[in-house]
Amino acid sequence: VLLYTPLKETEMLGRLVALAGCATAVVAETIHVAPKLGGTAQFTTVNDALFWAHYANLTSANEELTVLLAAGTYPPFTVLPDHGRVRVTGSPGSVVSGGVEVPPSLFTPYQGVSGAYVADLTSLNIPLADFGAITAGDCIHGCTDMQSGLSFGDEPLVLARWPNINTTSGHNLYTHASSPCGMGCVHVPISSNTQRISKWATEKTGWIHIYAEWDWADCYRSIANISTVNGSYEIKVEPATENPKANARFYGLNLLSELDTPGEFYLDVSATGQKLYFFPPASVAGEPSTWPHGPVLGLKEAAVNISGTTDVTVDNVEVMHARGQGVVAVGVTRARISNVNASLHGQQGIYMTSAIDSEISEVSVSNTGCAAIRAHGGDASTLTPGNLKVTNNHVSSFARWKRTYQAGIHWNGVANLYADNVVTDGPHNCFLGGGNEADPGIAVAALDNVFEGNFLDRCAYEAADTGAFYVCGQQATAFINRNNTIRNCQFHNVRNTAGTGVQGPSVQAIYLDDQMSDWTITNNSFVNCQTGSFIGGGRRNTVQHNYYEHCDTAQHFDNRGMNWQKSSAACTTPICPPFNCSCNRGAATWMRTQSAAAAQWQATVYPDAEYEADGVQLGVPRDNQVVDNTYCKCGKFIDASSTDTKAWGSTVADNNEVTTC
């Protein structure tokens, strides 16, 4: 794996002159790229090929230029808007990598730990900035940065930590705080098991990963000080922005003293030196001289960037080892990402936002630090459709670094299709978007999206109060995400299996949270879920023709807008744009009167404003339809009484129990 160094312009012009004499032999529509020049190969990098093609006037907005990659590994590349219509396509065995291999010859035994090795990286000439750094991000949203990740083959490795990874499930293990001790403070009783924490005090690079106040919000905080107080270790962290509750779960990481288990590593990089401490995974046997290759450090911000382009295709290639994103596609039109294997990235696998008429299909994304796929397109305030098609993708083992709000597929926009995707093994949400997860000032809300034929399995296994498919109506978004449909999808094994810390485990397959309204949930199946579908106080939701099997509760239904969340429904806030207040009807009125497409919102999207008018049962979960569903061996079908649902103006009828599953 090589780091990319572009040809200087003088070298490129020289290449142009050299190729000019054989121009008749060059097929204008196809440029061949291979790791070595020769034969049909004209270039060794995609960037050089595109640069030459642009100089040679081979790029066009009307005719597609194909860059064909032979088998081999290539450095990152960028397609620029003025490159025109471009297709970068691979052959079997073609890889675009944002990383650098650490040769086995650099490793020597690390005397501190039997079976571990250390390598001096200075000979690789890696810029210090490429290593990145761990940062203390928000505990809810955002993908916090980390130092360069490390992988061996297809296997991601983890920073040295305690407690260690569960080697059977691959899930995180946590220890727990005892009594609260204030902002940025964690108490852990001293025992034979926790005495190792005393060694953390001597290290300058230690962090903790903690669910401090809620089991749906995780973040990283640096260790500032460790002392002993009344038989406990008192760990002070920075920034001290959370007040960890009793039993808050956490683990320590980025600690050389905890390099003790196969599959762990530790980086010591600074202006004075660069060292990698590495405990090979169990799958790697023998001395370094016998290894087929070395581990790979993920270094570059992106492996592929096609932002701002029109009519660009990337297909039939593996994209690996970025410290940030695998494929970045911001502000694209008619982009196509197909048959791409995006894996081992520090943040997202595929990051597509502000996109129009674009496609992500037949893609496999795995082992990402944050979300796997982000696909946003269209604008609700102007009613501009995105027309995205996110179909037939396979997503697994994502959110390895930031655990919560980093979905397998993060969605938003207008008139997009998310169909026939398989999303498995997510610690929090497998699908997340719309509502308060929309893009403030860009897309605002989600309208007319269809989720069809998707298969979700083993989602939300590490969280509480969340859903495999989650959409939330906070920040005045509950009434403006309209006409979205979930149909013909399967939800399996949606349960917390990893335990919690400060909350009881409560997860649902489909979670319409905080008065989210106007969704259709039909012809789906729910198997072995704690709760199948969940209406959290919203209106005009339809739950029909679904099948529930071995669910504790098939359907949850509550009226939170009439009690603890009444302030966001029966509110007197003036008209306000979404995300600028908490009043649902204030934002709904803004969309109908002040958004760019206000007239169309009034005429077709949201003609029923009387539901949000004064005196019309504000906060009452009216006009929901929970009808014609079937359930088998569930604890109960619904947890709201028929008296209540009738009083709320909603219908629960013709839901049938069967005894044979």
Side-chain angles (χ1 to χ4, degrees):
V1 182
L2 303 174
L3 292 175
Y4 174 59
T5 303
L7 292 178
K8 295 179 180 178
E9 185 166 342
T10 53
E11 295 176 302
M12 181 59 70
L13 291 174
R15 179 75 59 82
L16 279 168
V17 172
L19 286 172
C22 59
T24 56
V26 177
V27 179
E29 292 80 8
T30 302
I31 299 176
H32 293 267
V33 177
K36 295 182 179 179
L37 295 175
T40 60
Q42 300 151 301
F43 296 94
T44 58
T45 75
V46 176
N47 278 344
D48 288 345
L50 291 172
F51 185 78
W52 172 77
H54 187 60
Y55 262 93
N57 293 319
L58 294 182
T59 56
S60 166
N62 300 316
E63 296 185 11
E64 184 175 76
L65 171 73
T66 297
V67 179
L68 178 60
L69 306 181
T73 300
Y74 301 90
F77 68 85
T78 298
V79 182
L80 299 175
D82 59 1
H83 286 153
R85 295 184 63 186
V86 173
R87 179 189 180 197
V88 180
T89 186
S91 306
S94 54
V95 178
V96 178
S97 173
V100 62
E101 179 185 342
V102 183
S105 59
L106 293 185
F107 287 96
T108 59
Y110 172 46
Q111 300 304 316
V113 179
S114 176
Y117 298 88
V118 60
D120 188 326
L121 306 178
T122 53
S123 64
L124 300 179
N125 298 313
I126 300 172
L128 185 61
D130 281 0
F131 288 102
I134 303 173
T135 58
D138 186 75
C139 291
I140 301 177
H141 295 107
C143 176
T144 54
D145 290 336
M146 63 173 289
Q147 276 185 321
S148 170
L150 190 72
S151 58
F152 200 102
D154 294 331
E155 190 170 352
L157 310 179
V158 298
L159 286 170
R161 65 180 61 194
W162 182 82
N164 294 322
I165 288 283
N166 184 321
T167 56
T168 301
S169 66
H171 295 171
N172 289 344
L173 292 177
Y174 297 86
T175 191
H176 293 263
S178 55
S179 57
C181 53
M183 299 294 290
C185 180
V186 177
H187 269 178
V188 182
I190 298 173
S191 69
S192 58
N193 196 36
T194 63
Q195 282 181 347
R196 62 200 308 142
I197 292 177
S198 64
K199 297 180 181 179
W200 301 1
T202 64
E203 301 200 37
K204 298 180 180 180
T205 60
W207 289 71
I208 65 170
H209 174 223
I210 186 168
Y211 288 84
E213 298 175 330
W214 307 100
D215 283 312
W216 43 261
D218 69 306
C219 45
Y220 291 83
R221 297 291 180 258
S222 65
I223 298 173
N225 182 66
I226 298 177
S227 59
T228 57
V229 177
N230 297 326
S232 291
Y233 292 113
E234 184 173 278
I235 305 172
K236 293 292 185 68
V237 301
E238 295 178 347
T241 49
E242 289 76 42
N243 188 0
K245 296 178 180 178
N247 209 44
R249 50 186 170 148
F250 75 96
Y251 60 80
L253 74 155
N254 203 42
L255 296 156
L256 183 57
S257 63
E258 297 297 350
L259 184 75
D260 59 1
T261 298
E264 292 187 334
F265 73 99
Y266 175 82
L267 275 170
D268 183 6
V269 294
S270 67
T272 59
Q274 300 175 356
K275 287 187 177 182
L276 169 65
Y277 298 83
F278 171 54
F279 203 131
S283 59
V284 179
E287 302 293 321
S289 61
T290 68
W291 299 348
H293 52 76
V296 175
L297 285 162
L299 297 172
K300 295 303 182 182
E301 285 292 337
V304 175
N305 194 333
I306 62 171
S307 296
T309 61
T310 299
D311 293 314
V312 168
T313 294
V314 178
D315 61 1
N316 305 318
V317 66
E318 291 189 73
V319 180
M320 305 176 74
H321 309 130
R323 182 167 53 84
Q325 290 89 12
V327 180
V328 182
V330 177
V332 294
T333 300
R334 294 190 298 277
R336 180 172 174 266
I337 302 169
S338 180
N339 196 27
V340 168
N341 177 15
S343 63
L344 301 169
H345 299 295
Q347 296 183 344
Q348 294 87 2
I350 297 176
Y351 189 89
M352 177 183 284
T353 63
S354 301
I356 300 293
D357 297 329
S358 296
E359 171 186 336
I360 301 172
S361 64
E362 306 288 347
V363 162
S364 174
V365 183
S366 63
N367 294 316
T368 58
C370 297
I373 295 173
R374 189 179 185 94
H376 293 198
D379 185 346
S381 63
T382 62
L383 292 179
T384 302
N387 292 327
L388 304 187
K389 292 181 173 58
V390 182
T391 60
N392 293 292
N393 302 296
H394 194 286
V395 173
S396 64
S397 299
F398 48 93
R400 292 177 53 83
W401 178 252
K402 179 67 171 72
R403 304 295 277 175
T404 58
Y405 298 94
Q406 300 299 321
I409 296 179
H410 198 291
W411 59 272
N412 190 56
V414 180
N416 300 319
L417 174 67
Y418 304 84
D420 302 315
N421 302 289
V422 176
V423 184
T424 67
D425 299 293
H428 193 236
N429 312 124
C430 280
F431 273 72
L432 171 67
N436 68 339
E437 288 286 325
D439 301 300
I442 302 175
V444 181
L447 300 172
D448 302 326
N449 296 290
V450 174
F451 306 86
E452 182 171 25
N454 301 295
F455 180 83
L456 288 73
D457 192 10
R458 299 185 299 278
C459 307
Y461 65 75
E462 190 179 288
D465 190 20
T466 193
F469 189 108
Y470 182 78
V471 57
C472 179
Q474 291 184 9
Q475 296 179 277
T477 63
F479 293 166
I480 62 173
N481 287 257
R482 301 178 66 83
N483 196 37
N484 298 292
T485 301
I486 306 171
R487 65 190 183 208
N488 302 317
C489 296
Q490 298 181 59
F491 299 84
H492 287 206
N493 305 307
V494 181
R495 294 182 181 276
N496 179 301
T497 58
T500 59
V502 300
Q503 295 176 267
S506 172
V507 295
Q508 353 314 312
I510 297 177
Y511 195 166
L512 307 183
D513 199 6
D514 292 335
Q515 302 181 63
M516 180 54 62
S517 299
D518 200 36
W519 280 69
T520 298
I521 300 170
T522 183
N523 287 309
N524 303 286
S525 66
F526 304 85
V527 178
N528 189 33
C529 303
Q530 183 175 1
T531 299
S533 44
F534 186 115
I535 297 175
R539 298 179 167 201
R540 299 178 299 277
N541 297 298
T542 298
V543 181
Q544 186 174 25
H545 298 311
N546 300 289
Y547 173 72
Y548 305 83
E549 178 181 313
H550 291 291
C551 297
D552 298 357
T553 301
Q555 174 67 54
H556 170 85
F557 193 1
D558 69 51
N559 64 331
R560 63 188 63 190
M562 298 171 65
N563 41 70
W564 62 271
Q565 210 174 64
K566 187 174 183 178
S567 62
S568 64
C571 44
T572 57
T573 302
I575 297 172
C576 61
F579 298 95
N580 285 267
C581 66
S582 61
C583 182
N584 287 323
R585 64 175 179 148
T589 303
W590 185 89
M591 298 298 286
R592 299 179 72 255
T593 60
Q594 297 187 24
S595 69
Q600 192 172 348
W601 270 83
Q602 288 186 44
T604 60
V605 180
Y606 207 155
D608 48 356
E610 67 273 9
Y611 278 176
E612 281 67 56
D614 287 327
V616 188
Q617 295 183 297
L618 292 171
V620 179
R622 293 180 51 178
D623 301 305
N624 294 287
Q625 302 284 320
V626 181
V627 296
D628 300 319
N629 300 287
T630 303
Y631 58 103
C632 181
K633 297 188 182 339
C634 293
K636 54 179 170 286
F637 175 72
I638 191 167
D639 55 5
S641 70
S642 60
T643 300
D644 284 341
T645 57
K646 289 178 181 177
W648 300 339
S650 289
T651 301
V652 179
D654 300 319
N655 300 294
N656 300 308
E657 181 177 13
V658 297
T659 57
T660 302
C661 300

